[in-house]
Structures are given as C-alpha cells and as structure tokens.
Amino acid sequence: MVIALMGYTEDVIGQEFSVMGGSALHSDGTYYWRRDTAEYVDTYGTLLPAEFMEHGTKTEWHAPFLTDMEIMEIDDYFMSLRTQS
C-alpha cells in the first residue's frame, strides 16, 4: 500500500461487498490499483488489462520492495494529478 486512505467503500455495481479502506492505493512500482479492485474481480469476474496480467505473471505476482523515496515519488505523482484538475 502506498497511499493509505481511511474510509469504507461499497460495491457500486450490485452492493455485494464492502471494503474497509477500499480507496487506498497499492502499487508494485509499475501499476497502481485500489484496494477494493480484487473484490470486483472476485465477485464479477471483472477483467484487468492484458499488460497488467502479463506483468503480474512475469513477476510471479510478487510486488518488489519500494524504498521510502519511491513511495514518496508515487505520492508526489498522485498529488500532482490532484492539482491538475
């Protein structure tokens, strides 16, 4: 997890699940995803981009260790997106 966000997300499709901290962001240094993404995949069979799946297979689904500096760079990136809108 690179950005921990408090909160409680609920399934926006069919109200089948809820996730504490569901809007928190995870990263493996290449891709970013919300904490509640897996619930949509498990519940609805939501497909993920082929590139993401290939990357995960290649890395055997193990995220690398991210240094504090890399985590701060990710945080800076997301903060820059907020200021663009």
Side-chain angles (χ1 to χ4, degrees):
M1 184 177 313
V2 294
I3 300 179
L5 299 170
M6 294 177 56
Y8 182 80
T9 59
E10 295 182 352
D11 171 8
V12 297
I13 297 173
Q15 290 73 48
E16 296 291 322
F17 61 85
S18 56
V19 179
M20 293 297 291
S23 59
L25 296 176
H26 291 253
S27 177
D28 65 357
T30 301
Y31 290 94
Y32 308 93
W33 59 93
R34 284 173 46 124
R35 179 179 171 145
D36 58 5
T37 300
E39 297 297 330
Y40 287 98
V41 172
D42 287 343
T43 303
Y44 301 108
T46 305
L47 297 177
L48 299 172
E51 296 84 6
F52 175 79
M53 299 302 293
E54 291 167 11
H55 176 74
T57 300
K58 184 173 118 185
T59 62
E60 298 181 354
W61 299 101
H62 290 99
F65 174 80
L66 298 177
T67 65
D68 289 343
M69 180 61 77
E70 290 169 319
I71 291 171
M72 290 305 300
E73 288 172 1
I74 292 167
D75 184 61
D76 289 345
Y77 171 73
F78 280 109
M79 290 303 292
S80 75
L81 293 177
R82 290 186 61 160
T83 59
Q84 290 179 12
S85 37

